[in-house]
Amino acid sequence: MKKHVRKKHLRRSFAGSKNWLAVGTLAATVMGAGRQAQAAVPSSASGAAAVPTAGLPVKRINIAAGALDAAIATYEQQTGVHVRINLPQGTVEGFQTKGVSGLFAEDEALQLLLAGTGLSFRMDGASTAVVELRANDSVDVSTSANSVSLSQFTEPLSDIPQTVNVVPQFVMQEQAVTTMRDTLRNVPGISIAAGEGGAQGDNLTIRGFSARNDIFLDGIRDFGSYYRDSFNYDAVEVLQGPASVEFGRGSTGGVVNQEQKQPMLQEAISGSLQLGTNLMRRVTADINEPLTALGPGTAFRLNVAGTQSNVAERDITEVRRFGIAPSIAFGQNSPTRFLLSYLHESENSIPDYGLPYFLYKLPKVNRTNYYGFAEDNFLRTNPDIVTGRVEHDFSVPVTVRSTMRWANYPRDVRITEPQIASKAVFSAIGGEQMAACAPPACFPINYDPNLVRVTRNQIAAKSVEDMIWNQTSLVGRLKLAHVENNFVVMLEGGRERSSPLRTSYTVPTASLLNPNPYEPFDPSSISIRSNTHVSSTSYGLNLLDTLKLTQWLQISGGIRFDYFNADALTDAVGSTPATHVSRLDKQPTYRAAVVVKPRRNGSIYFDYGTSFNPSAESLSLSGNNAALPPELNSTTEIGTKWDFLHDRLNLSGSYFATEKQNARETDPNDTANTILVGTQLVRGVQVAAIGHMPRHFDIIAGYAFLNGRVEKSILNASPWSSLYVPGDPVYGQAPYFISPKGFPFANVPKNSGNLWVTHDLWWRFMGGFGGNYVSARRASSTTMVAAYDSATPVPVTDVPLTFKAIPGYWTFNAMLRRPISDHLDFQANIINLTNKFYIDQPHPNHLVPGEGINAQMGFNVKF
């Protein structure tokens, strides 16, 4: 039972941030700020702050106001009741109490001592009281949520030998973010990218490597292609570095875990209304209700959100989303617990693939230009996710958890990708002689922009991805030969399927300077590009163990075996015959780490881990990659983490190096073929800080330096060397190739950082300010284009080449909030204060600008 209570507390130490108003009032009581908490103190009859045991003797209690830890010690002396603290070590030292004096029952006296702290207690027998978090308060005793909800981890974050970034819900609410994508702007080392042709939705890189398939929901893969709303988040956790030992395939740069809100044992209602200058209308509601009539520990929670918004400085684009997430829990605070939850998110938006490249750079066009079809471009997604979970605590400190999930991800899209036809393209996988470039076949860069036409490439797909998955884990804490072993044994597996139908359309071109988005969608031809059915069966078995050898030294390690069997059938289309390919991978992964704790509040660690990327990682198996073994990755990391101000301020830093071997490259002798010959390396440094301190002094900040390079390639010859291809017709000689060795990764800024700070102002206002910096990025690590301003044919060796690249930028945001009453406050946010025009999501073929300046105003309510 003790094990369960401790784990539940650690989970709530972060999950509590769901009630951000309580966080603000509680912060005033911490660190001896001398201010009284504003949270109402429930009466004894309500039982909101305690679970009293009737009939306890009445005693004269006389405990002065002051530090809570000293007051609890005095309480134990005067009552004879032993108080067990289920909070991280040193946490109670930061709390203050108003004291208690008079004749009271033992439970009433303890309830008064805890009044206004956000803590509660329960009686464990007649002579022991257990102090822990009040279920509906957000006492984030460790600012950065010194634990994660994932059963893969047994230690607090300060002792996990890995870079872990947590964005709590109170930060999301202060910044008025509505999506996972915007939430992740608070994490250094992550870059946002535009959607690929066949995979719309959240697309990102972590530490230089794609993480589109490394997004998890409560520890289970959430592989659907959709844009995730933040309405049901308690937090978003980013574990950087390879994590195949914990999560299976992928995770080269790390994983993103979305932690959903859970039912609580206390009644709570909250909601918000946001109105914006970009015509935003957003309503959210969060209703939690205990259902004691259905049994002790039963509660129901419902989260709902609806959003409709334009995008500032991007004409036509519109976002329409709706989400609902009911959940019910049974047996909370008991050895056996059940949870059933459902998540539905629907989107029916007019998508934006931004602006075209003109050879290697962005053309000088109006930032509001929309090159698609306002009436016929759409993005429709309707994910449904049902999750059931059961947990049981045994009398020995062992907990078993089993989670079953069914998920269905329908998607129907037709998006216009703007492109400008040009001949001056030079690829690292193949050379091309510069030839005369005449419209309308292509346009030289010095051509009159009033006459340039933009190709409207139609990306159209209709698909359904689905999965059924089970994850069962056993978590234990045992002592063997006086050494504490915290271990996890996990078995998970299931089936994943994807069935995309892709269609091609030929439509009229658009003017570069003055596109008409209201032009009727009238394709001159329609054809089926492909119809594919991919199914995979997989399972993974892992063992993770942490050995606490002394108070200052612990070692940990893990091993996992993955079985991943994928099968792909492509229907015959036109003259293209049907194909059937399959691939089976059996792959072990490993992890080992050492943690040294020179002080209780700090740690220094060394970590080594491996991961792998199979060919069918994203269920996109085809003939050109089915025979390839997985890419293999390894990371070495050294770092340190420190908690200050009674765990109210957390600082961390790390140096790491990640190497990918057997990296996939296109065969220069057959561009339809893929081979494994490359080696890629990323070295970097990351630092981060998160704090939640008195006077609403909140801070979340980070910086990442990433140096990613191609170390080895099939084209490792020196630049401008030639590679002979038999039968080449160009000038009777072989085409020229450029070695990608030394090329930087695509969509990886060398420097990036984030900052968000809030603090109390005058007249009960609270202000917030922050921003993001992203240095220059390349849109592709393999393709170069000619910096060439003439239509005159020249040998390719005489043409200067450059990468498609986008410049760096700063953006700034601000917030102002003021309580109107105990249950209502007003909040205003200004996004992109300077109205900076910048490219937010790069792609090798198009560029999506960030949103222009806009203001959001609204009200937050809580009962």
Side-chain angles (χ1 to χ4, degrees):
M1 183 67 180
K2 178 180 179 180
K3 163 70 168 57
H4 162 62
V5 173
R6 183 175 185 272
K7 279 185 68 64
K8 191 169 187 69
H9 157 68
L10 289 176
R11 184 167 63 247
R12 283 181 179 166
S13 66
F14 175 48
S17 61
K18 60 179 81 64
N19 293 322
W20 56 270
L21 185 56
V23 172
T25 56
L26 177 66
T29 69
V30 181
M31 298 299 299
R35 295 169 25 150
Q36 298 297 329
Q38 298 175 13
V41 180
S43 66
S44 300
S46 72
V51 183
T53 302
L56 291 180
V58 174
K59 296 182 179 180
R60 179 167 293 279
I61 309 296
N62 187 14
I63 302 175
L68 181 60
D69 56 337
I72 288 177
T74 304
Y75 172 85
E76 289 180 311
Q77 295 174 358
Q78 295 185 6
T79 63
V81 174
H82 171 62
V83 179
R84 189 167 74 239
I85 308 295
N86 276 330
L87 299 171
Q89 184 179 356
T91 297
V92 175
E93 298 172 4
F95 289 86
Q96 299 287 304
T97 179
K98 294 181 288 187
V100 58
S101 181
L103 292 172
F104 296 95
E106 294 166 353
D107 56 337
E108 292 177 328
L110 185 53
Q111 179 175 320
L112 290 173
L113 280 181
L114 300 178
T117 66
L119 302 177
S120 66
F121 77 94
R122 56 182 173 80
M123 299 304 299
D124 188 6
S127 60
T128 301
V130 180
V131 173
E132 53 195 3
L133 290 183
R134 186 182 305 162
N136 69 332
D137 273 351
S138 52
V139 187
D140 56 342
V141 292
S142 170
T143 307
S144 60
N146 205 19
S147 68
V148 289
S149 61
L150 300 167
S151 60
Q152 288 94 325
F153 297 93
T154 60
E155 307 307 311
L157 290 184
S158 57
D159 292 343
I160 293 177
Q162 183 176 3
T163 297
V164 182
N165 305 100
V166 178
V167 184
Q169 195 199 52
F170 73 84
V171 170
M172 302 181 215
Q173 297 222 2
E174 289 172 353
Q175 297 178 350
V177 300
T178 62
T179 63
M180 185 189 76
R181 181 177 58 194
D182 287 338
T183 300
L184 292 176
R185 299 185 195 277
N186 292 287
V187 179
I190 290 185
S191 299
I192 310 299
E196 296 290 342
Q200 287 68 46
D202 294 313
N203 190 18
L204 51 100
T205 63
I206 303 178
R207 288 184 172 178
F209 297 97
S210 174
R212 187 177 66 83
N213 302 296
D214 299 320
I215 300 174
F216 290 75
L217 184 67
D218 291 334
I220 295 178
R221 195 179 305 273
D222 180 28
F223 80 101
S225 296
Y226 69 106
Y227 293 103
R228 294 156 177 86
D229 196 287
S230 61
F231 78 102
N232 196 39
Y233 287 169
D234 258 347
V236 174
E237 303 152 344
V238 180
L239 295 89
Q240 303 206 40
S244 284
V245 165
E246 296 93 353
F247 297 95
R249 71 181 192 265
S251 68
T252 305
V255 302
V256 175
N257 182 59
Q258 309 157 86
E259 183 184 339
Q260 295 190 97
K261 296 177 181 178
Q262 305 288 317
M264 306 176 298
L265 291 179
Q266 302 298 328
E267 183 179 8
I269 300 175
S270 62
S272 66
L273 169 66
Q274 289 176 266
L275 302 174
T277 57
N278 55 357
L279 297 183
M280 173 190 228
R281 293 87 81 196
R282 180 175 173 88
V283 178
T284 67
D286 182 353
I287 303 169
N288 188 86
E289 184 69 29
L291 301 176
T292 55
L294 299 180
T298 303
F300 174 79
R301 190 165 188 173
L302 176 66
N303 276 271
V304 181
T307 300
Q308 185 168 354
S309 174
N310 293 348
V311 178
E313 301 289 352
R314 292 297 300 148
D315 287 353
I316 309 302
T317 306
E318 186 176 17
V319 176
R320 296 187 294 265
R321 290 195 308 268
F322 171 77
I324 184 168
S327 57
I328 187 168
F330 303 90
Q332 297 187 78
N333 288 342
S334 71
T336 303
R337 303 169 297 282
F338 300 90
L339 174 70
L340 180 64
S341 67
Y342 168 64
L343 173 65
H344 173 80
E345 293 190 31
S346 66
E347 179 166 359
N348 185 4
S349 299
I350 302 177
D352 184 14
Y353 263 36
L355 308 173
Y357 284 101
F358 199 168
L359 297 184
Y360 61 92
K361 61 184 179 181
L362 186 70
K364 294 181 179 180
V365 297
N366 193 319
R367 66 190 288 186
T368 65
N369 278 6
Y370 186 84
Y371 292 92
F373 297 90
E375 303 299 329
D376 291 279
N377 282 169
F378 52 82
L379 171 62
R380 300 166 184 156
T381 58
N382 288 280
D384 292 290
I385 303 172
V386 180
T387 305
R389 187 176 71 215
V390 59
E391 297 175 303
H392 179 73
D393 300 327
F394 292 92
S395 56
V396 293
V398 172
T399 297
V400 173
R401 169 190 285 188
S402 184
T403 304
M404 179 65 73
R405 174 170 295 168
W406 173 84
N408 192 60
Y409 305 93
R411 178 168 54 106
D412 187 10
V413 300
R414 187 161 69 224
I415 302 173
T416 298
E417 179 185 48
Q419 299 178 352
I420 298 177
S422 62
K423 199 71 173 177
V425 175
F426 190 94
S427 173
I429 64 168
E432 180 177 293
Q433 188 74 21
M434 286 294 299
C437 181
C442 62
F443 298 92
I445 200 168
N446 62 344
Y447 197 73
D448 183 354
N450 288 287
L451 303 177
V452 172
R453 305 296 297 179
V454 175
T455 299
R456 291 162 154 173
N457 179 40
Q458 296 301 299
I459 299 174
K462 190 170 186 178
S463 69
V464 176
E465 287 84 39
D466 67 73
M467 70 178 296
I468 184 167
W469 198 262
N470 178 266
Q471 182 184 89
T472 299
S473 61
L474 185 148
V475 182
R477 298 176 183 270
L478 302 175
K479 272 196 173 181
L480 300 174
H482 304 290
V483 175
E484 183 177 343
N485 286 257
N486 299 336
F487 65 88
V488 177
V489 179
M490 178 179 290
L491 175 65
E492 62 177 332
R495 184 198 68 197
E496 301 165 90
R497 296 186 301 188
S498 177
S499 299
L501 171 66
R502 297 187 172 93
T503 307
S504 292
Y505 299 86
T506 302
V507 298
T509 60
S511 165
L512 172 64
L513 298 185
N514 299 292
N516 178 13
Y518 298 103
E519 186 176 348
F521 182 75
D522 186 18
S524 58
S525 67
I526 303 175
S527 61
I528 301 297
R529 285 178 51 204
S530 63
N531 191 12
T532 306
H533 313 276
V534 184
S535 177
S536 72
T537 302
S538 59
Y539 68 81
L541 174 64
N542 65 5
L543 169 64
L544 308 166
D545 193 13
T546 297
L547 305 177
K548 297 188 176 181
L549 303 179
T550 69
Q551 290 184 343
W552 58 271
L553 178 63
Q554 63 187 46
I555 61 175
S556 61
I559 183 171
R560 176 174 173 129
F561 176 80
D562 276 281
Y563 172 99
F564 184 57
N565 189 15
D567 188 88
L569 173 65
T570 301
D571 296 342
V573 175
S575 60
T576 304
T579 61
H580 180 210
V581 295
S582 60
R583 172 77 198 178
L584 172 61
D585 290 300
K586 301 176 182 179
Q587 185 68 39
T589 49
Y590 311 94
R591 187 177 209 119
V594 177
V595 177
V596 177
K597 294 183 67 66
R599 297 179 63 87
R600 178 200 66 81
N601 64 317
S603 66
I604 301 170
Y605 64 87
F606 173 83
D607 176 44
Y608 173 81
T610 66
S611 65
F612 74 103
N613 301 93
S615 297
E617 176 182 6
S618 58
L619 298 190
S620 58
L621 193 66
S622 62
N624 69 342
N625 65 7
L628 299 180
E631 298 175 319
L632 302 177
N633 319 292
S634 63
T635 290
T636 302
E637 180 173 324
I638 183 170
T640 184
K641 301 178 182 181
W642 292 85
D643 299 327
F644 297 101
L645 305 178
H646 301 290
D647 295 342
R648 307 292 291 179
L649 176 65
N650 307 117
L651 306 177
S652 63
S654 64
Y655 166 83
F656 69 91
T658 299
E659 183 179 63
K660 177 184 287 290
Q661 297 179 340
N662 280 350
R664 298 185 185 97
E665 291 190 355
T666 302
D667 187 346
N669 295 308
D670 181 2
T671 56
N673 189 33
T674 302
I675 54 179
L676 295 184
V677 294
T679 300
Q680 301 170 349
L681 178 65
V682 176
R683 294 187 180 96
V685 175
Q686 291 181 253
V687 294
I690 182 168
H692 189 57
M693 292 162 284
R695 298 195 62 190
H696 295 111
F697 182 17
D698 298 340
I699 180 172
I700 184 168
Y703 166 76
F705 170 81
L706 301 177
N707 184 16
R709 290 289 187 270
V710 175
E711 294 290 298
K712 179 183 176 182
S713 169
I714 187 63
L715 303 170
N716 263 350
S718 60
W720 294 114
S721 66
S722 62
L723 182 64
Y724 178 68
V725 179
D728 177 71
V730 181
Y731 289 90
Q733 61 183 6
Y736 285 86
F737 291 82
I738 289 184
S739 167
K741 182 178 179 180
F743 284 5
F745 290 176
N747 193 30
V748 180
K750 182 169 287 189
N751 297 280
S752 61
N754 61 278
L755 173 67
W756 178 257
V757 179
T758 65
H759 200 274
D760 280 347
L761 303 176
W762 303 274
W763 303 297
R764 299 180 67 197
F765 280 99
M766 183 183 82
F769 179 80
N772 292 84
Y773 171 71
V774 178
S775 65
R777 294 174 279 174
R778 291 182 175 177
S780 172
S781 61
T782 60
T783 300
M784 303 183 76
V785 296
Y788 180 65
D789 293 339
S790 173
T792 304
V794 296
V796 96
T797 50
D798 295 338
V799 178
L801 301 181
T802 186
F803 282 96
K804 291 180 178 180
I806 57 176
Y809 62 87
W810 285 92
T811 59
F812 300 98
N813 309 311
M815 182 271 292
L816 195 64
R817 190 173 74 196
R818 188 185 191 281
I820 298 174
S821 69
D822 290 341
H823 303 292
L824 182 68
D825 68 23
F826 171 79
Q827 179 174 328
N829 292 75
I830 301 179
I831 313 299
N832 193 358
L833 273 167
T834 61
N835 198 27
K836 176 70 175 179
F837 174 57
Y838 65 99
I839 300 302
D840 182 40
Q841 301 170 53
H843 185 275
N845 295 326
H846 63 273
L847 299 163
V848 181
E851 187 167 17
I853 184 172
N854 65 98
Q856 299 174 14
M857 296 153 285
F859 298 91
N860 303 308
V861 61
K862 180 180 178 181
F863 296 93

